[in-house]
Amino acid sequence: MNFYILTLFPEMVVNGLNTSIIGRAAEAGLLRLEAINIRDYSANKHHKVDDYPYGGGAGMLMQAQPVYDAFQSVQERIGKKPRCIYVTPQGRTFSQADAKAFAKEEDLVILCGHYEGIDERVLEEVVTDYVSIGDYVLTGGELPAMVLVDAVSRMVPGVLGNQESGDFESFEGNLLEYPQYSRPEEWHGKKVPEVLLSGHHKNIEMWRRKQSVLRTKERRPDLLEKAELTEEEKGWAESGSHAKA
Ligand code: ADE
């Protein structure tokens, strides 16, 4: 999968993503990450990319032309119009379902804004998806772009070492993941739940499912409303979120 990040700060994006799992996946050829400097496409002799908003108001806007030409350079190279995500607080909130859907694309462009935003006319021509990473305002789109690349990349087959770990984790079926424990069996006086030491797979599976339901009820009741639960599971949720059994 190919990511093309259109940005005024390419080194920030590249440096932030060339480590860890994503860096390894890029080295293994599963992903390719290209940060494209919008400033390189400025037609202005001083490489200017921003100007005052018509109608007045605070701050500067990124102009249409350099953004359009940077996008066109990608489109020409790949020979088709790619999906193009503009990261903005005005977008829909990014979800795990989006991460999975974006991971199916061969090419994905992510457009990072700065200053007070980008001239609306170029957005109308290139953007296919408006995506926010939450209801707060950041100084630019680079951190959101990195969040997207990370979350999408781990949904690309082969990127996670163990393919299972992409399927049985938080947000699958609108439930949070169950609690996990490793050695030692007792730490700070707290024992690992007995059932996990039992070797009884069916009971372990049931315990984990119950913990997922209880945890989601306690921490994300909004999510639980969207989960598909059996009558028995609904009963767990009703009987109190602090039950440990
Ligand atoms: N740019 C600035 N703030 C943002 C946010 N919350 N999500 C996506 N892009 C942004």
Side-chain angles (χ1 to χ4, degrees), residues 86-90 113 131-142 144-145:
Y86 178 39
V87 278
T88 165
Q90 298 182 15
V131 172
S132 166
I133 62 160
D135 288 343
Y136 42 82
V137 180
L138 300 168
T139 54
E142 283 71 21

Side-chain angles (χ1 to χ4, degrees), residues 23-38:
R24 251 191 291 137
E27 261 173 44
L30 294 163
L31 308 170
R32 213 170 57 79
L33 189 78
E34 203 179 315
I36 293 159
N37 193 341
I38 295 169

Side-chain angles (χ1 to χ4, degrees), residues 82-216:
R83 198 161 184 180
C84 175
I85 302 164
Y86 178 39
V87 278
T88 165
Q90 298 182 15
R92 70 169 185 273
T93 308
F94 184 56
S95 69
Q96 190 63 29
D98 288 317
K100 281 188 177 173
F102 292 148
K104 296 201 167 78
E105 301 288 336
E106 185 56 35
D107 300 286
L108 203 59
V109 174
I110 304 177
L111 173 59
C112 304
H114 254 272
Y115 313 117
E116 290 304 308
I118 302 182
D119 189 308
E120 191 68 21
R121 293 167 295 184
V122 67
L123 300 178
E124 287 169 9
E125 294 204 9
V126 307
V127 173
T128 57
D129 299 81
Y130 293 83
V131 172
S132 166
I133 62 160
D135 288 343
Y136 42 82
V137 180
L138 300 168
T139 54
E142 283 71 21
L143 286 170
M146 288 157 70
V147 167
L148 259 63
V149 170
D150 190 289
V152 173
S153 294
R154 59 194 292 293
M155 290 296 110
V156 170
V159 169
L160 293 182
N162 167 8
Q163 206 37 50
E164 266 194 344
S165 49
D167 288 334
F168 297 98
E169 61 182 6
S170 291
F171 304 113
E172 271 315 310
N174 290 306
L175 289 174
L176 301 181
E177 200 181 28
Y178 46 79
Q180 303 241 53
Y181 305 86
S182 184
R183 284 195 283 186
E185 263 182 56
E186 185 174 335
W187 182 83
H188 278 199
K190 298 168 199 236
K191 292 204 168 80
V192 172
E194 203 56 47
V195 63
L196 300 179
L197 311 174
S198 69
H200 193 303
H201 296 295
K202 196 104 201 342
N203 286 354
I204 291 172
E205 204 180 298
M206 169 107 117
W207 181 87
R208 286 179 165 166
R209 178 80 183 170
K210 187 168 183 177
Q211 294 301 316
S212 281
V213 171
L214 294 178
R215 175 158 284 194
T216 311

Side-chain angles (χ1 to χ4, degrees), residues 4-11 34-44 47-50 61-74 84-87 109-115 117-118 122-123 126 141-142:
Y4 303 89
I5 322 279
L6 309 184
T7 168
L8 292 174
F9 298 96
E11 65 293 339
E34 203 179 315
I36 293 159
N37 193 341
I38 295 169
R39 199 175 294 283
D40 290 346
Y41 291 85
S42 171
N44 179 282
H47 303 292
K48 202 164 86 78
V49 292
D50 62 326
L61 279 186
M62 283 169 69
Q63 292 168 284
Q65 175 271 318
V67 172
Y68 187 71
D69 289 356
F71 176 82
Q72 281 289 105
S73 77
V74 175
C84 175
I85 302 164
Y86 178 39
V87 278
V109 174
I110 304 177
L111 173 59
C112 304
H114 254 272
Y115 313 117
I118 302 182
V122 67
L123 300 178
V126 307
E142 283 71 21

